[in-house]
Amino acid sequence: MKVTIKDIARAAGVSHPTVSKALNGSPGVSKAVRERIVSIAEQMNYIPNQAARRLADKKTQTIGLLWPKSEALFFHHLSLQIQQEAARRGLDVMISLADPPRGLRAFNEHFVDRIIFWSPPGWQPDMAFIKQKELFHGRMLLIGGGVLKGAHRIGIDRSGAIYEAVCYLAAKGHRRITFVGDSSDKQLGFTRGVLEQRLDYHEHYVIAAKEGDPFPEQRVAELLDSPDRPTAFIVDSQSYAFGLMKLFRDREIRMPGDYSLIVYDDIPEMERMEIPVTTVGPSIGKLAALALKIIAGKEGQGQDRLEDIEIKCELNVRKSTGRL
C-alpha cells in the first residue's frame, strides 16, 4: 500500500500541510519537527509524488532528449555522456525515440523544461512540431546542424572533418582515396581535399550511399578488383566501416598494409578493434559537456543569450592508417 502525506501526518501528530512543508524544505517548520517528520517518512518508505510536485511548480529537474531512431553507436555513447554530465548537476534524463512532434508533446505533458534535440542539417519543423514548440516554455538546444528560432544550437563541422582526413592521407603518400557515404557536407569536404591536394580522381572514388542504406558491398568489391583501385578509404559511418572491414577479412586484406582506413565518428568501438581504427569526428565527451553547459545553465547567469556554436572535429590516428 502506498504511503501518503496524510499517513505521515497521522503518525507524526501534525497536519498534512506541515508534513508537505517539512519534506519540501519550505519555511514555517521548526528543525526538530522537520527532522522527526523526515525520520518517520523514511521509516514508512514514503516515495514523493513527483508528478504532483510538477503540477505545483511546472518545473522538473529533468532534461529531455529528442533522439533519432538510429542504431548508430554514436548516439548511444553520446546519450550516456549526457546522462553522466546531467547527474553531476543533480538532473535526470528522459529519452524519446518518437517522431519529434510526438516526443515534444510528451515532454510538454510532463513539464520537462530543458530539451536537447538531435536534428541534422537541413531539418525543418512541421506544423505539428511548431504547435508543440509554442506550448513549450523552457530551454531547447539543437545538436547536429538543424536551426530553430528561439533555440540554442551546436553545429558540427563535418566537411572540415573529412577534409582533414584527406589531407592526412595525402601527407602519408596516398594519391587514390575512396569516400563511401552520403552526398552531404562530408562529400564536399572530400572533394575539397582531393582538389587542393591535387590527388588522382576517378568516378568510382566516391561511392554515394544514403544514411540507413546497407553497405554497398558489390560496388566496393568491384572497385577492389579494378586496376584503378584506391590505396585508402574514408567512410562516413560505423555501419559502413563494419561492412568494409568484413569485406577486408573475407578477402584477407590487411590494414594498413594493403589499404588504409579512416572512419567518421570517434566511438570507443573503433579503438577496440583488432586493428585500432583511425577516426575523425566530434569528441563525444566534449560535445556532451558543452551541451550540458548550455542547457543546464540558470536563467539570468549569461544563459539567456542564444548560443550558436560550430564545433571542430578531431583526428585520432591509430593503426589502420599507414604511409605508402
Side-chain angles (χ1 to χ4, degrees), residues 156-166 186 189 234 262 264 280-282 312-315:
I156 300 171
D157 184 12
R158 298 176 177 86
S159 177
I162 303 302
Y163 170 79
E164 184 177 1
V166 172
K186 295 175 187 175
I234 299 172
I262 297 179
Y264 179 84
V280 65
K312 299 295 183 181
C313 294
E314 299 178 5
L315 180 69

Side-chain angles (χ1 to χ4, degrees), residues 210-224:
K210 295 181 180 179
E211 184 178 359
D213 287 351
F215 173 69
E217 180 175 351
Q218 182 175 350
R219 294 166 64 191
V220 174
E222 291 172 354
L223 180 61
L224 294 177

Side-chain angles (χ1 to χ4, degrees), residues 37-271:
I37 290 173
V38 169
S39 177
I40 291 172
E42 291 175 349
Q43 293 172 17
M44 298 177 73
N45 293 321
Y46 170 69
I47 300 175
N49 190 337
Q50 297 295 342
R53 186 173 298 175
R54 286 195 294 268
L55 285 170
D57 60 17
K58 299 294 190 296
K59 289 181 180 293
T60 65
Q61 291 295 93
T62 303
I63 294 173
L65 300 187
L66 284 174
W67 232 227
K69 297 176 183 177
S70 173
E71 296 180 358
L73 291 170
F74 172 83
F75 296 109
H76 166 72
H77 291 294
L78 180 56
S79 63
L80 288 179
Q81 287 289 323
I82 288 175
Q83 190 278 328
Q84 292 172 11
E85 292 288 338
R88 294 190 185 101
R89 295 165 170 82
L91 301 172
D92 296 319
V93 173
M94 294 174 59
I95 298 179
S96 171
L97 302 180
D99 61 277
R102 187 168 183 173
L104 182 53
R105 184 183 68 185
F107 289 150
N108 279 335
E109 291 173 351
H110 288 82
F111 305 114
V112 174
D113 54 2
R114 299 178 180 93
I115 292 177
I116 297 175
F117 174 25
W118 182 274
S119 60
W123 172 82
Q124 293 291 331
D126 57 19
M127 285 304 301
F129 187 90
I130 292 173
K131 288 180 179 178
Q132 290 299 321
K133 177 64 168 62
E134 291 174 349
L135 298 174
F136 175 70
H137 301 289
R139 183 173 298 150
M140 182 178 291
L141 166 65
L142 271 61
I143 303 180
V147 178
L148 183 65
K149 183 179 180 180
H152 300 275
R153 175 184 178 273
I154 299 176
I156 300 171
D157 184 12
R158 298 176 177 86
S159 177
I162 303 302
Y163 170 79
E164 184 177 1
V166 172
C167 292
Y168 174 78
L169 291 170
K172 292 293 184 181
H174 293 274
R175 306 294 305 171
R176 302 190 304 276
I177 304 171
T178 288
F179 173 80
V180 182
D182 62 32
S183 55
S184 64
D185 44 0
K186 295 175 187 175
Q187 186 173 326
L188 292 176
F190 176 78
T191 302
R192 175 189 166 203
V194 168
L195 292 175
E196 290 190 7
Q197 298 295 321
R198 298 183 179 180
L199 304 182
D200 297 346
Y201 184 78
H202 189 283
E203 61 179 359
H204 299 305
Y205 290 171
V206 174
I207 299 179
K210 295 181 180 179
E211 184 178 359
D213 287 351
F215 173 69
E217 180 175 351
Q218 182 175 350
R219 294 166 64 191
V220 174
E222 291 172 354
L223 180 61
L224 294 177
D225 293 333
S226 75
D228 296 313
R229 59 182 175 271
T231 61
F233 284 86
I234 299 172
V235 298
D236 82 341
S237 74
Q238 63 171 52
S239 60
Y240 296 154
F242 293 146
L244 182 61
M245 286 186 281
K246 179 181 183 301
L247 184 60
F248 283 176
R249 287 193 301 272
D250 292 345
R251 291 183 168 227
E252 298 183 350
I253 291 173
R254 298 171 296 114
M255 292 189 304
D258 297 316
Y259 294 94
S260 287
L261 171 63
I262 297 179
V263 176
Y264 179 84
D265 273 346
D266 184 34
I267 57 175
E269 286 75 10
M270 292 295 109
E271 188 174 12

